[in-house]
């Protein structure tokens, strides 16, 4: 970040190594994730809101959003670009924590649809408030055009990464 940008925006510059100004996408993304995690921890509500993993919270939110539809493990795999084995372990853990339950599908008893438990639903409500707070912080001071450009760039980066995955 140049001194001109700092003066113009009033944002403080973090000096890790003043001689090394080359930006790296992966490093900048990692730093942003660290800042997000630190912000959540500093809100002093992390233990209350997130007694489980962040990925569990995202899955709970997804299940809540589509609670009137039949959602299966394969839908979670696709939505979050996760492998079957990883998804299976995660869902089993969520079942053990009584956040979700698997119910046989009326159409095919071999298929188990995923459904929030009461405990899972209550957690979703708390997590949604925290996610919205973070989203508001992330987008603060950005125009609609900047957000559209950001999402376009992120999409292109995701597509670039998918090219190399076998």
């Amino acid at each position: 970040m140049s001194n001109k940008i700092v003066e113009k925006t009033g944002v403080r510059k973090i000096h890790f190594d003043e001689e090394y100004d080359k930006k790296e996408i992966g490093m900048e993304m990692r730093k942003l994730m660290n800042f997000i995690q630190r912000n959540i921890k500093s809100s002093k509500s992390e233990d209350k809101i997130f007694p489980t993993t962040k990925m569990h919270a995202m899955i709970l939110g997804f299940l809540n959003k589509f609670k009137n539809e039949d959602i299966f493990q394969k839908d979670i795999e696709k939505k979050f670009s996760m492998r079957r084995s990883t998804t299976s372990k995660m869902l089993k853990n969520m079942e053990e924590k009584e956040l979700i339950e698997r119910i046989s599908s009326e159409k095919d008893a071999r298929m188990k649809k995923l459904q929030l438990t009461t405990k899972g639903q209550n957690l979703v409500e708390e997590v949604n408030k925290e996610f919205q707070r973070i989203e508001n912080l992330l987008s603060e001071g950005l125009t609609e055009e900047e957000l559209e450009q950001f999402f376009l760039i992120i999409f292109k980066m995701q597509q670039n990464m998918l090219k190399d995955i076998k």
Side-chain angles (χ1 to χ4, degrees):
M1 189 182 307
S2 73
N3 286 334
K4 288 180 185 176
I5 293 174
V6 173
E7 291 169 14
K8 189 175 181 181
T9 63
V11 176
R12 69 183 167 107
K13 181 178 180 181
I14 300 172
H15 298 280
F16 293 108
D17 185 356
E18 290 184 23
E19 295 177 17
Y20 185 75
D21 282 335
K22 183 179 183 289
K23 301 268 188 224
E24 295 174 344
I25 294 168
M27 180 62 75
E28 295 305 316
M29 291 179 76
R30 184 72 198 140
K31 287 189 321 194
L32 180 58
M33 287 305 302
N34 286 341
F35 292 149
I36 291 169
Q37 290 173 353
R38 274 195 243 157
N39 188 287
I40 291 170
K41 286 180 182 177
S42 73
S43 74
K44 299 183 192 252
S45 60
E46 180 185 28
D47 291 336
K48 181 182 131 201
I49 294 176
F50 294 114
T52 187
T53 70
K54 309 302 185 266
M55 193 66 220
H56 286 185
M58 292 173 73
I59 291 171
L60 290 172
F62 179 73
L63 291 174
N64 185 60
K65 184 175 182 178
F66 296 101
K67 62 184 162 201
N68 295 325
E69 298 180 33
D70 288 349
I71 302 294
F72 300 95
Q73 178 174 326
K74 65 179 174 56
D75 300 313
I76 302 295
E77 294 166 10
K78 183 176 180 182
K79 171 66 179 172
F80 297 102
S81 300
M82 294 169 53
R83 291 193 169 109
R84 183 186 307 166
S85 61
T86 303
T87 308
S88 181
K89 288 176 192 172
M90 190 169 297
L91 293 175
K92 183 177 183 198
N93 183 272
M94 292 173 74
E95 249 184 316
E96 289 169 358
K97 292 182 177 191
E98 300 177 350
L99 299 173
I100 64 167
E101 55 189 350
R102 296 182 203 228
I103 300 169
S104 294
S105 170
E106 295 169 7
K107 298 173 186 170
D108 184 349
R110 296 171 297 173
M111 298 286 290
K112 305 290 184 195
K113 65 181 181 179
L114 304 172
Q115 186 171 304
L116 291 174
T117 61
T118 303
K119 183 178 177 181
Q121 182 62 47
N122 291 338
L123 185 59
V124 163
E125 292 167 15
E126 292 299 316
V127 167
N128 282 344
K129 290 177 192 172
E130 184 65 5
F131 277 169
Q132 192 56 56
R133 186 182 74 79
I134 295 297
E135 283 291 314
N136 290 343
L137 280 172
L138 286 168
S139 60
E140 188 175 308
L142 299 177
T143 66
E144 286 297 319
E145 293 81 23
E146 289 170 327
L147 284 170
E148 285 178 30
Q149 187 68 25
F150 171 78
F151 288 118
L152 176 65
I153 291 168
I154 286 290
F155 177 77
K156 286 181 178 180
M157 289 178 178
Q158 290 168 345
Q159 296 308 304
N160 291 343
M161 295 307 297
L162 285 172
K163 290 178 194 174
D164 255 6
I165 297 175
K166 296 175 176 135

